[in-house]
Amino acid sequence: MVKINILVVDDDRDIKLLLESYLKKLEVDRIHFTETAAETYEFLNLKDKNNEAKIDLIILDIILEDEDGIAICKKIKSSETYQEIPVIMVTAQKASKFLKRAFEAGAFDFIKKPINKIEFMARINSAIKLRKEMKKRIKREEELLKISAKLKAVNKKLEKIALQDGLTGLANRRLFDKTLKDELNRAKRNKNSLALIMADIDNFKVYNDTYGHQQGDECLKKVASVLAKNAKRASDFSARYGGEEFAVILADTDKDGAVKVAENIREDIRELEIEHQNSNTDKYVTLSLGVSCIKVKREITEELVNSFIEKADQALYQAKEKGKNRVVYLDFE
Amino acid sequence: MKKNKVYIDQDLETLIPQYLDNREEDIRRLKTLIEAENYEKIRIIGHSLKGSGGGYGFDYLTELGSQIEKNAELKNREDIELIINKLENYLDNLEIIYQED
């Protein structure tokens, strides 16, 4: 239930009692009274910005002895907290000039003295209803904002999940495809060479058959972390290409640099000394790597991207043919 | 026999005795203020009476309040004294009937 608190600013005790007795008949939770401008400002805590409005409706008697009611109305309405709170002015003044000034000062409505009960109740009631609707709307908006923030966070998470390999935490194939294309374009723009390493765990099927799939997954994770460690520049990129195959993109890297990174990865994997008793290559898990380098001169097409991957794959194939646990480099074009 | 019959909303019944006491106080203050010729304070009392009278159901008090206010602005001592008399007279001969609105 929306609660309504009313502030009556009036310095006439008889009027105060009269208004209180009427207001008590309406759907009002609390009625507060202030008598002077200073007391009103202090009660509303106008100096403190961004506090929550503690009053939902202000009934302001225009002729106070120390400060003009219109000035008070203006001041209340210029505060961030109370600019939306309806102010109803009460006055014995009849002049339309006065009315004009009151509305210009931001008054929501106007009640003439002597107060007529029916008129007073009807006008206050409509202000209360409006304020209640406003409060409900504000609450709904706040809820919507919260929900939309949650949604954004979830979307971000989903986006990440969609581009990440769940097991190793490396980028997945989809992100690899996009990144390779982007990096080729960048390399072309900057007239840099771009290197690609394709890597494949040697005798991984046998490893899985020997140690089981859970161990196999552990092995994949370890290999992935070696890749991530070696592709450490901000522009370096490593991905799980599929199964036991991985890929590393090295921006602004030539043949020598790429082969060196590939060689480091190969050595690091071997040095992990992950036992592989049924391997015909070594007693530990090893990695074969194919490297290629490109200096892009022509338009980046899907065909070009594919043939670049193909070239690194050929190098990888040759590494396997030559006995595994080694790095082979092939020039692109 | 009281001659000034006034019909008042019964919701206000509990407030009326205090309201009328406050008017007696107005009369006492007005008499002192007129002796001192303090017209500004007299004007404020008139203005307040004008504002509250009709609200409580005493339209005549609003009328008298308005007269006090105007004459205070003009510093019309004699007229103010006449109005104070009317005010006293009215209050002394009041018959209030409470009714549902």
Side-chain angles (χ1 to χ4, degrees), chain A residues 210-245:
Chain A
T210 310
Y211 301 100
H213 284 279
Q214 270 186 335
Q215 278 298 110
D217 284 352
E218 286 308 309
C219 177
L220 288 167
K221 280 196 223 170
K222 283 176 187 159
V223 171
S225 65
V226 168
L227 290 180
K229 198 187 86 194
N230 280 281
K232 56 182 177 280
R233 295 179 309 170
S235 57
D236 293 342
F237 174 90
S238 45
R240 185 173 176 200
Y241 193 72
E244 67 268 31
E245 201 170 350

Side-chain angles (χ1 to χ4, degrees), chain A residues 203 206-207 209-211 273-285:
Chain A
N203 313 304
V206 179
Y207 185 89
D209 291 346
T210 310
Y211 301 100
E273 297 190 346
I274 304 167
E275 196 190 302
H276 193 348
Q277 60 184 39
N278 291 331
S279 168
N280 56 17
T281 311
D282 196 287
K283 58 178 179 171
Y284 298 117
V285 167

Side-chain angles (χ1 to χ4, degrees), chain A residues 145-208:
Chain A
L145 276 177
K146 263 188 223 156
I147 290 168
S148 115
K150 257 190 212 162
L151 207 63
K152 248 186 210 164
V154 170
N155 272 340
K156 224 173 176 182
K157 216 171 167 184
L158 277 176
E159 220 167 77
K160 211 178 158 194
I161 289 169
L163 299 173
Q164 206 177 34
D165 175 54
L167 178 69
T168 62
L170 293 184
N172 64 13
R173 172 72 178 272
R174 191 204 301 221
L175 183 56
F176 168 81
D177 288 341
K178 185 184 177 298
T179 305
L180 183 59
K181 202 175 162 195
D182 290 349
E183 287 299 334
L184 281 166
N185 276 305
R186 194 209 305 266
K188 186 179 179 231
R189 270 201 312 277
N190 299 341
K191 300 188 171 64
N192 286 333
S193 59
L194 183 77
L196 174 63
I197 302 171
M198 299 299 285
D200 190 88
I201 302 172
D202 296 324
N203 313 304
F204 191 65
K205 190 184 173 307
V206 179
Y207 185 89
N208 266 337

Side-chain angles (χ1 to χ4, degrees), chain A residues 64-82:
Chain A
L64 287 148
E65 285 168 42
D66 57 342
E67 193 169 338
D68 187 34
I70 283 172
I72 299 175
C73 183
K74 257 186 203 159
K75 190 149 180 187
I76 292 170
K77 282 300 199 176
S78 65
S79 92
E80 223 161 283
T81 312
Y82 287 94

Side-chain angles (χ1 to χ4, degrees), chain A residues 12-18 21-22 25 63 65 92-93 113-118, chain B residues 9 11-12 15 18-19 22-23 25 44 47-48 50-52 54-56 62 101:
Chain A
D12 186 313
R13 58 183 169 177
D14 297 311
I15 299 290
K16 278 200 293 195
L17 287 169
L18 188 68
S21 86
Y22 289 158
K25 292 178 178 296
I63 308 296
E65 285 168 42
Q93 290 268 6
K113 273 192 210 167
I115 286 159
N116 173 288
K117 181 184 175 185
I118 292 165
Chain B
D9 182 348
D11 288 345
L12 299 178
L15 299 180
Q18 179 65 55
Y19 185 72
N22 291 343
R23 305 293 70 79
E25 196 189 316
I44 290 169
H47 181 81
S48 295
K50 181 178 83 174
S52 67
Y56 276 88
T62 286
D101 58 350

